[in-house]
Amino acid sequence: MDGNVIVGQSGGPTSVINSSLAGVYKTAIDRGAKKVYGMLHGIKGLLDGQYVDLSEKINSTMDIDLLKRTPSSYLGSCRYKLPEISEDRETFDKIFKILDDLDIKYFFYIGGNDSMDTIKKLSDYAIVTGSDIKFMGVPKTIDNDLAVTDHTPGFGSAAKFIAATMKEIIRDGLVYDYPTVTIVEIMGRNAGWLTAAAALAKSDDCEGVDLIYLPEKVFDIDHFMARVKEIAAKGRSMVIAVSEGIKVADGRYVFELSEHVEFVDAFGHKQLAGSAKFLANKIGAELGIKTRAIELSTLQRCAAHMTSRTDITEAYNVGGAAVKAAFEGETGKVVVLKRVSDDPYMCITETNDVHQIANIEKKVPLEWITDDDFVTDDLIHYIRPLIQAELSPIMVDGLPRHLNINA
Amino acid sequence: MDGNVIVGQSGGPTSVINSSLAGVYKTAIDRGAKKVYGMLHGIKGLLDGQYVDLSEKINSTMDIDLLKRTPSSYLGSCRYKLPEISEDRETFDKIFKILDDLDIKYFFYIGGNDSMDTIKKLSDYAIVTGSDIKFMGVPKTIDNDLAVTDHTPGFGSAAKFIAATMKEIIRDGLVYDYPTVTIVEIMGRNAGWLTAAAALAKSDDCEGVDLIYLPEKVFDIDHFMARVKEIAAKGRSMVIAVSEGIKVADGRYVFELSEHVEFVDAFGHKQLAGSAKFLANKIGAELGIKTRAIELSTLQRCAAHMTSRTDITEAYNVGGAAVKAAFEGETGKVVVLKRVSDDPYMCITETNDVHQIANIEKKVPLEWITDDDFVTDDLIHYIRPLIQAELSPIMVDGLPRHLNINA
């Protein structure tokens, strides 16, 4: 093994992004890496000279197992897009200088769309300057909006948390004997994959969600109100899943509709209610039905106590596969998941040119959204295998144990 | 065994209220009850003639175990307070007629403050009319605000969910290398027990919550802003726990402060932001710090996938103890928990006159709240045993399985 390894994490964290970090670290060590560095706060932190020697932090197989169960980015994160090479070579020269000083030969970056842009630019720049450093992208995002890959690590665990939580919210929401409306707002500004996961709640022990609205399809408020009225008229309580990013026909987000009235907070700022809150208010005001709006919020991406074993294993595997590929000479690639069988579910890893992946958003196909405000069985069958099985948290004194770089 | 048994659930549901139902049902059957009826939607439903024969619904020990793991009220719930006996004997006569028609000799009601009022009035009325029906209260509430009992079943599991979730939110919230503020709003309009549970997140693998604000103590906004500024000045991100019920010196809730500006939604209604949202807006506007407000919302009381084994066992035991006491002739009582040892933690059940419990709210003692916006070790030591151990969900096809009376 010639040279050292560095790995970073970037973008919004997930419940399993650290499992990919574990996969990179463990595989690199097992395959003979001398040193494995971790960038702190991604490429932005590296530019400021922030990094650690990971072997000083991760000391045992127990640490590896805790790392897999630790939500958010162990190494910290950043939201930073590298400049275009043509506009600012200085930043790139600075990064390569830091890498050379640490004798880095292998560079791994775990992240979503924007992070893959970092791999693209750095590997392009390596070609320009003749650097032999290998750059590999390791995908993660709860949003599942990355191109080429069957799905992204992080999505399955978020989907499992959402589906499990919806089952619990449905039990809670149907408890009274008069109609109530519970609207649950789910993450995904442009892609509805996570909101679609709410459909998985339906089973022989659960009534399921009544209506599901994804951002891919224009949201018709009048139609929505009519559906709610229709269900309430049967005396039924209902639970509805909406994406934070649903939009009306003129292109405005639903949560932007409140901008058109006085909606100014104590500090003179227009405050926008979320989509769910806006719709709950409207139902309460116009139909006189008791409503509740719930935002699943950050919990969707950090509920490490309820991850999918399938997801966490795949997250580990894409990290390991990136190391294997880089050590074998690949660069400018992203590891992707390829579903080779539906039943039984089987996925393998492949590598793919980063140029086909960076900055592209994969949305839910319109044919997977039904006219009766739900999703098709095809979509449910696509997601179902990704939420299977669990990785039990390691509980200490009543709470899940994590690995904390600051502790 | 003479006569039959009826049991109902009332008020806001919890993750473990069905464990108490399981305790009542199983103990009654084991002790020779002929029939165990379940009121649907509490006393309100019973008044409308809604009840089921539970032995037709709960068919196996597997069902009992699923029931323990099912959140919300299996039998449905109501929010209904019986009238005063002196004002409306008709309602009472109607209830007793229904009970007599079903040959009920034992009546169990699982609920909080208001539900204990139902037990008080029914047992009082039984004395007035010479009825020999035994009435027993089984306590539940996530709010832990019931008098006499050491704590209430339901609190430990909500506290565990809150503490575990705070650990995850803290990992997520500290991920960037510039100061951010995450404010988490926790249930409990008048009692701060649940918000205090956020303190349990702090441990050798977790920085813990920075500041905690309970409704028992006047909330000083200027002081709060100064504390946030002080922590941000050190370059640190922070996570803050606030009760939904925090109030300023003049007695207004923090979430009511936004009433004093234009805050009108599309339907002409004044919309109140939650406490967390209000404070996050204020910090963003006045200190220019990136903020996020999170409402834990309904999840606190229905996250049955993450319950405390201690809590769920105690919930079962108070149900069973109520049956034992009633079968031995007690009436007009509530089962309470008495802590007989702190270390090792041990709790026993006792029965207590319902008149000392109904309609009384137990708050956090002021001496357990510190001047530096946190809670004392005494408070943490009080809660810690209540979150210990787990009851694993029974996972089917990737999701927790429930028992559904409608399925």
Side-chain angles (χ1 to χ4, degrees):
Chain A
M1 272 296 315
D2 200 35
N4 297 320
V5 169
I6 195 162
V7 55
Q9 296 172 306
S10 168
T14 80
S15 295
V16 305
I17 185 171
N18 289 327
S19 187
S20 291
L21 176 62
V24 167
Y25 175 74
K26 181 78 162 47
T27 310
I29 295 290
D30 288 352
R31 288 180 173 255
K34 280 185 296 190
K35 268 185 185 295
V36 180
Y37 291 100
M39 303 169 222
L40 298 176
H41 304 291
I43 192 75
K44 180 80 168 56
L46 185 68
L47 268 165
D48 298 335
Q50 293 186 59
Y51 56 85
V52 291
D53 181 345
L54 273 179
S55 56
E56 288 175 8
K57 293 286 180 180
I58 302 171
N59 298 309
S60 62
T61 49
M62 179 66 177
D63 280 354
I64 297 272
D65 254 277
L66 285 173
L67 188 58
K68 284 184 186 176
R69 289 162 170 89
T70 300
S72 187
S73 302
Y74 175 75
L75 295 169
S77 188
C78 67
R79 289 200 179 272
Y80 175 76
K81 209 161 175 174
L82 284 174
E84 296 301 322
I85 296 173
S86 57
E87 289 168 7
D88 176 10
R89 293 184 64 134
E90 214 173 289
T91 297
F92 289 88
D93 288 336
K94 191 172 172 192
I95 292 171
F96 277 80
K97 169 79 167 62
I98 294 168
L99 296 179
D100 287 339
D101 287 349
L102 293 173
D103 194 23
I104 302 295
K105 295 291 175 205
Y106 306 96
F107 180 108
F108 302 96
Y109 211 46
I110 311 169
N113 277 320
D114 290 345
S115 311
M116 294 308 114
D117 179 76
T118 298
I119 289 296
K120 177 171 80 70
K121 285 172 178 160
L122 289 174
S123 58
D124 285 352
Y125 197 70
I127 292 169
V128 173
T129 59
S131 163
D132 62 352
I133 303 176
K134 313 296 179 204
F135 293 91
M136 290 293 293
V138 180
K140 75 84 208 162
T141 166
I142 61 166
D143 291 325
N144 197 40
D145 59 354
L146 228 56
V148 184
T149 189
D150 177 78
H151 58 279
T152 54
F155 172 64
S157 293
K160 186 186 186 89
F161 176 78
I162 288 165
T165 299
M166 291 309 300
K167 280 193 75 171
E168 295 171 337
I169 289 173
I170 290 164
R171 292 267 56 74
D172 185 278
L174 306 187
V175 84
Y176 297 113
D177 66 345
Y178 49 85
T180 62
V181 180
T182 305
I183 308 186
V184 183
E185 181 173 319
I186 297 172
M187 280 182 170
R189 188 59 68 94
N190 301 315
W193 298 107
L194 284 175
T195 306
L200 276 65
K202 190 167 189 165
S203 54
D204 51 351
D205 68 334
C206 183
E207 294 81 353
V209 170
D210 294 274
L211 305 167
I212 296 181
Y213 297 97
L214 312 189
E216 282 82 356
K217 198 166 172 181
V218 169
F219 185 77
D220 180 335
I221 291 200
D222 294 335
H223 172 77
F224 169 78
M225 294 297 284
R227 289 301 310 270
V228 170
K229 208 170 162 179
E230 174 193 321
I231 297 170
K234 295 177 193 158
R236 281 181 47 212
S237 285
M238 68 204 87
V239 178
I240 300 171
V242 299
S243 162
E244 59 176 343
I246 47 172
K247 285 178 184 169
V248 291
D250 65 12
R252 282 177 301 159
Y253 288 112
V254 167
F255 64 76
E256 284 178 315
L257 299 181
S258 51
E259 265 196 316
H260 290 257
V261 292
E262 304 286 349
F263 202 70
V264 181
D265 72 10
F267 321 107
H269 293 80
K270 279 185 181 167
Q271 285 302 321
L272 304 181
S275 310
K277 185 80 181 156
F278 177 84
L279 294 172
N281 288 347
K282 191 172 167 72
I283 292 168
E286 296 182 11
L287 303 180
I289 303 173
K290 199 184 158 211
T291 60
R292 178 187 291 272
I294 298 174
E295 289 180 22
L296 291 189
S297 189
T298 313
L299 276 56
Q300 292 158 85
R301 72 174 189 215
C302 70
H305 69 271
M306 180 68 158
T307 53
S308 150
R309 177 82 191 217
T310 303
D311 184 32
I312 220 160
T313 301
E314 289 177 347
Y316 185 91
N317 288 348
V318 292
V323 170
K324 181 169 184 286
F327 283 16
E328 289 171 356
E330 293 190 58
T331 186
K333 302 274 184 72
V334 179
V335 176
V336 294
L337 291 162
K338 185 177 175 181
R339 196 183 294 218
V340 291
S341 167
D342 271 315
D343 187 12
Y345 169 80
M346 275 187 275
C347 245
I348 57 167
T349 58
E350 289 184 342
T351 58
N352 198 92
D353 186 340
V354 68
H355 294 81
Q356 295 173 324
I357 292 178
N359 308 315
I360 301 169
E361 255 184 346
K362 183 178 73 178
K363 299 187 179 183
V364 176
L366 281 177
E367 60 267 27
W368 278 0
I369 305 173
T370 64
D371 287 335
D372 64 343
D373 309 309
F374 211 74
V375 298
T376 64
D377 285 346
D378 282 346
L379 181 42
I380 291 172
H381 292 153
Y382 164 78
I383 300 176
R384 180 75 68 183
L386 312 182
I387 69 160
Q388 296 299 317
E390 294 74 47
L391 186 70
S392 311
I394 295 171
M395 302 298 285
V396 176
D397 210 7
L399 296 175
R401 186 77 178 181
H402 300 149
L403 195 70
N404 182 348
I405 198 164
N406 307 313
Chain B
M1 272 296 311
D2 201 35
N4 298 319
V5 169
I6 196 162
V7 54
Q9 297 173 304
S10 169
T14 78
S15 295
V16 306
I17 185 172
N18 289 328
S19 187
S20 291
L21 177 62
V24 168
Y25 175 74
K26 181 79 162 47
T27 308
I29 295 290
D30 288 351
R31 288 179 172 255
K34 280 184 296 189
K35 268 187 187 294
V36 179
Y37 292 101
M39 301 169 224
L40 298 177
H41 304 291
I43 191 74
K44 180 81 169 58
L46 185 67
L47 267 165
D48 299 336
Q50 293 186 59
Y51 56 83
V52 291
D53 181 346
L54 273 179
S55 56
E56 288 175 8
K57 293 286 180 180
I58 302 172
N59 298 309
S60 63
T61 49
M62 179 66 178
D63 280 354
I64 296 274
D65 254 278
L66 285 173
L67 189 57
K68 284 185 186 175
R69 290 161 170 89
T70 300
S72 187
S73 302
Y74 174 75
L75 295 169
S77 187
C78 66
R79 291 200 179 271
Y80 175 75
K81 209 162 175 173
L82 284 174
E84 296 302 323
I85 296 173
S86 58
E87 289 169 6
D88 176 11
R89 293 183 64 134
E90 213 173 290
T91 298
F92 289 88
D93 288 335
K94 190 172 173 191
I95 292 172
F96 277 80
K97 170 80 167 62
I98 295 169
L99 297 179
D100 287 339
D101 287 349
L102 292 173
D103 194 23
I104 301 296
K105 295 291 177 205
Y106 305 97
F107 181 109
F108 302 95
Y109 212 45
I110 312 169
N113 277 320
D114 291 344
S115 311
M116 294 309 114
D117 179 76
T118 298
I119 288 296
K120 176 171 81 70
K121 286 172 177 160
L122 290 174
S123 58
D124 285 351
Y125 197 71
I127 292 170
V128 174
T129 59
S131 163
D132 63 350
I133 303 177
K134 313 298 179 204
F135 293 90
M136 291 292 295
V138 181
K140 74 83 208 161
T141 166
I142 61 167
D143 291 326
N144 198 39
D145 59 354
L146 227 57
V148 185
T149 189
D150 177 77
H151 58 279
T152 54
F155 172 64
S157 292
K160 186 186 185 90
F161 177 77
I162 289 165
T165 300
M166 290 309 300
K167 281 193 75 171
E168 296 171 337
I169 289 173
I170 289 164
R171 292 266 55 74
D172 185 278
L174 306 187
V175 83
Y176 297 114
D177 67 344
Y178 51 85
T180 63
V181 180
T182 305
I183 307 185
V184 183
E185 182 172 318
I186 297 172
M187 280 182 170
R189 188 59 69 92
N190 301 313
W193 298 107
L194 284 175
T195 307
L200 275 66
K202 190 167 189 166
S203 55
D204 52 350
D205 68 333
C206 182
E207 294 81 352
V209 171
D210 294 274
L211 305 167
I212 295 181
Y213 297 98
L214 312 189
E216 283 83 355
K217 199 166 172 181
V218 168
F219 185 77
D220 179 336
I221 292 201
D222 294 336
H223 172 77
F224 168 78
M225 294 297 283
R227 288 301 310 269
V228 170
K229 209 171 162 179
E230 173 194 322
I231 296 170
K234 294 178 193 157
R236 282 181 46 211
S237 285
M238 68 203 88
V239 178
I240 299 171
V242 301
S243 162
E244 58 175 344
I246 47 172
K247 284 178 184 170
V248 291
D250 65 12
R252 281 177 301 159
Y253 289 111
V254 167
F255 64 75
E256 285 178 315
L257 299 182
S258 51
E259 265 195 316
H260 290 257
V261 292
E262 303 287 349
F263 203 70
V264 182
D265 71 11
F267 321 107
H269 293 79
K270 278 185 182 167
Q271 286 302 321
L272 304 181
S275 310
K277 185 81 180 157
F278 177 84
L279 294 172
N281 289 347
K282 191 170 166 72
I283 291 168
E286 295 182 11
L287 303 179
I289 302 174
K290 198 183 158 209
T291 61
R292 179 187 290 270
I294 298 174
E295 288 180 25
L296 290 190
S297 190
T298 313
L299 276 56
Q300 291 158 87
R301 70 174 191 216
C302 70
H305 69 273
M306 179 71 158
T307 52
S308 151
R309 177 83 192 217
T310 302
D311 184 31
I312 219 159
T313 302
E314 290 177 345
Y316 185 91
N317 288 349
V318 293
V323 170
K324 180 168 184 288
F327 283 15
E328 289 171 357
E330 293 190 57
T331 186
K333 302 276 184 70
V334 178
V335 177
V336 295
L337 291 162
K338 185 177 176 181
R339 196 183 295 219
V340 292
S341 166
D342 271 316
D343 188 12
Y345 168 80
M346 276 187 277
C347 245
I348 58 168
T349 58
E350 289 185 341
T351 59
N352 197 92
D353 186 341
V354 68
H355 294 81
Q356 294 173 326
I357 292 178
N359 309 314
I360 301 169
E361 256 186 345
K362 183 179 71 177
K363 298 187 179 184
V364 176
L366 282 177
E367 60 267 28
W368 278 0
I369 305 172
T370 64
D371 287 335
D372 64 343
D373 309 310
F374 211 74
V375 298
T376 64
D377 284 347
D378 283 345
L379 181 42
I380 292 172
H381 292 152
Y382 164 78
I383 301 176
R384 179 78 67 184
L386 312 181
I387 69 160
Q388 295 300 317
E390 294 75 46
L391 186 69
S392 309
I394 295 171
M395 303 297 285
V396 175
D397 210 6
L399 296 175
R401 186 77 177 182
H402 301 148
L403 195 69
N404 182 347
I405 198 164
N406 307 313

